[in-house]
């Protein structure tokens, strides 16, 4: 089981998303409650299969007893499913549990911007980007701030 997960993670990092999702699905066939596979498959499918992604993201939150990373994924997937209010509530919970995670901070701003709360989003982004810390979505965060 662990070897499948390692392969899935590798393919995900190298942007081979079809292979990656295939291996995550294999993991779930063996162990339907594997939180990493549930969470990562939900993340991979957030744009292409948002409804299926939502089911997996919800399961990941349930199985992990509300881990902040699973809540973060669920919030973004809810946004992709146009469930903005639920997305806001969910990202708030993720941020409460992990207040220093820059990716969660970025998603918090992104979801609030999408909900029309631009001032709030701008405040969070300005704060986030004033730090020197590098995080994967930094360029996205800078681009979003320009639109607010």
């Amino acid at each position: 089981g662990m070897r499948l997960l390692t392969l899935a993670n590798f393919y995900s990092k190298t942007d081979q998303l079809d292979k990656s999702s295939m291996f995550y699905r294999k993991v779930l066939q063996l162990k339907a409650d594997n939180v990493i596979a549930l969470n990562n498959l939900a993340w991979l499918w957030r744009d292409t299969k948002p409804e299926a992604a939502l089911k997996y993201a919800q399961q990941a939150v349930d199985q992990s007893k509300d881990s902040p990373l699973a809540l973060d994924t669920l919030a973004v997937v809810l946004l992709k499913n146009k469930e903005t209010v639920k997305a806001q509530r969910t990202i708030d919970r993720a941020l409460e549990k992990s207040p220093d995670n820059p990716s969660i901070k970025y998603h918090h701003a992104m979801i609030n911007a999408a909900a029309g709360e631009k001032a709030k989003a701008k405040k969070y982004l300005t704060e986030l980007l004033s730090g020197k810390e590098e995080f994967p979505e930094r360029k996205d965060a800078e681009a979003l701030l320009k639109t607010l």
Side-chain angles (χ1 to χ4, degrees), residues 5-20:
L5 205 51
T6 307
L7 280 167
N9 288 335
F10 165 74
Y11 285 124
S12 174
K13 283 191 177 62
T14 53
D15 275 338
Q16 300 180 58
L17 301 187
D18 291 346
K19 276 187 176 162
S20 181

Side-chain angles (χ1 to χ4, degrees), residues 56-111:
Y56 286 119
Q58 188 61 64
Q59 284 177 341
V61 167
D62 296 343
Q63 293 295 340
S64 68
K65 310 261 190 291
D66 287 4
S67 102
L69 295 177
L71 285 166
D72 178 52
T73 297
L74 177 59
V76 173
V77 170
L78 281 163
L79 182 65
K80 301 285 183 181
N81 280 277
K82 313 258 187 293
E83 297 202 33
T84 316
V85 175
K86 270 190 191 164
Q88 281 179 290
R89 279 205 302 263
T90 307
I91 202 69
D92 283 347
R93 280 164 60 204
L95 197 60
E96 266 166 36
K97 286 174 177 282
S98 190
D100 298 323
N101 181 312
S103 296
I104 295 178
K105 285 183 190 170
Y106 163 62
H107 292 143
H108 188 271
M110 179 183 91
I111 288 167

